């Protein structure tokens, strides 16, 4: 199972540890504490700005914000007066070209995803996220198989992968956010 972003962006209240580091670890190991707002409340631009600033260190800052369709609409309405153009991503192409509805704000693309739980906003620094795929389970196929009483062949596809965040403190999370 993928651990997911919620485990990486935690302050120790929901997930006990991430990569053997706890939310209460101090010093150099204090990588996952903070940048979490579970208080929620009615969405404000200041709320998003606070999380963005908490997750920024020098020139390293979040570049992708993912939320629900409902909250994306609220963010759109609040930021529309300042919206002028679609910002390019790191590779020079807009996420809009990939079919996403995108709001560009403070250097980050804001998109919605139906898989984000209600009231949640993930503020991601994609430079800190890597999808690791195990070399022995890199989309290996098993088949073909012929099911009984069916005129077809099926294949099973195996992959062992994990999304890893190497610097959770450079990301942020909000929950309990309402329109």
């Amino acid at each position: 199972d993928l651990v997911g972003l919620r485990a990486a962006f935690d302050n120790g209240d929901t997930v006990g540890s991430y990569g053997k580091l706890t939310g209460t670890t101090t010093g150099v190991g204090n990588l996952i504490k903070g940048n979490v707002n579970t208080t929620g409340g009615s969405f404000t631009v200041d709320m998003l700005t606070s999380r963005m600033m908490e997750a920024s260190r020098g020139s390293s800052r979040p570049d992708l914000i993912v939320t629900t369709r409902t909250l994306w609409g609220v963010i759109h309405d609040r930021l529309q007066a300042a919206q002028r153009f679609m910002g390019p991503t790191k590779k020079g192409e807009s996420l809009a070209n990939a079919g996403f509805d995108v709001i560009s704000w403070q250097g980050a693309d804001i998109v919605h995803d139906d898989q984000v739980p209600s009231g949640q906003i993930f503020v991601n620094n994609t430079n800190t996220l890597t999808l690791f795929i195990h070399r022995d389970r890199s989309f290996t196929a098993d088949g073909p198989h012929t099911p009984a009483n069916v005129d077809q062949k099926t294949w099973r596809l195996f992959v062992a992968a994990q999304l890893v965040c190497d610097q959770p403190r450079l990301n942020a999370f909000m929950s309990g956010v309402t329109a």
Side-chain angles (χ1 to χ4, degrees), residues 142-147 152-156:
D142 177 37
H145 301 281
T146 305
Q152 67 182 25
K153 295 197 182 291
T154 61
W155 290 76
R156 293 186 298 176

Side-chain angles (χ1 to χ4, degrees), residues 79-96:
L79 297 178
Q80 187 175 12
Q83 185 72 13
R84 298 288 182 258
F85 57 90
M86 302 307 291
T89 63
K90 290 177 278 192
K91 294 185 172 69
E93 293 185 22
S94 173
L95 284 175

Side-chain angles (χ1 to χ4, degrees), residues 34-98:
N35 303 342
V36 173
N37 175 352
T38 56
T39 306
S42 183
F43 176 82
T44 65
V45 175
D46 289 343
M47 178 188 290
L48 193 56
T49 301
S50 293
R51 294 283 71 76
M52 187 75 136
M53 293 302 102
E54 292 249 342
S56 297
R57 302 288 186 278
S59 63
S60 184
R61 57 186 298 125
D63 56 351
L64 178 64
I65 300 170
V66 185
T67 189
T68 65
R69 183 180 305 270
T70 300
L71 288 175
W72 186 91
V74 171
I75 294 168
H76 174 271
D77 292 347
R78 302 267 165 76
L79 297 178
Q80 187 175 12
Q83 185 72 13
R84 298 288 182 258
F85 57 90
M86 302 307 291
T89 63
K90 290 177 278 192
K91 294 185 172 69
E93 293 185 22
S94 173
L95 284 175
N97 292 339

Side-chain angles (χ1 to χ4, degrees), residues 118-130:
S118 179
Q120 295 187 2
I121 301 174
F122 291 88
V123 182
N124 305 286
N125 181 331
T126 58
N127 291 321
T128 68
L129 301 171
T130 305

Side-chain angles (χ1 to χ4, degrees), residues 10 13 20 41-42 45 98 109 133 145 164 170:
D10 189 57
D13 293 342
K20 297 186 181 179
S42 183
V45 175
D109 289 336
I133 300 175
H145 301 281
V164 176
L170 296 179

Side-chain angles (χ1 to χ4, degrees), residues 5-18 21-26 29-40 51 54 122 168-169 171-175:
L5 294 178
R6 182 62 185 101
F9 306 168
D10 189 57
N11 60 2
D13 293 342
T14 303
V15 179
S17 66
Y18 180 76
L21 297 172
T22 66
T24 58
T25 304
T26 58
N30 188 8
L31 298 178
I32 65 173
K33 186 146 178 82
N35 303 342
V36 173
N37 175 352
T38 56
T39 306
R51 294 283 71 76
E54 292 249 342
F122 291 88
R169 65 192 173 102
N171 298 271
F173 171 75
M174 289 180 276
S175 66

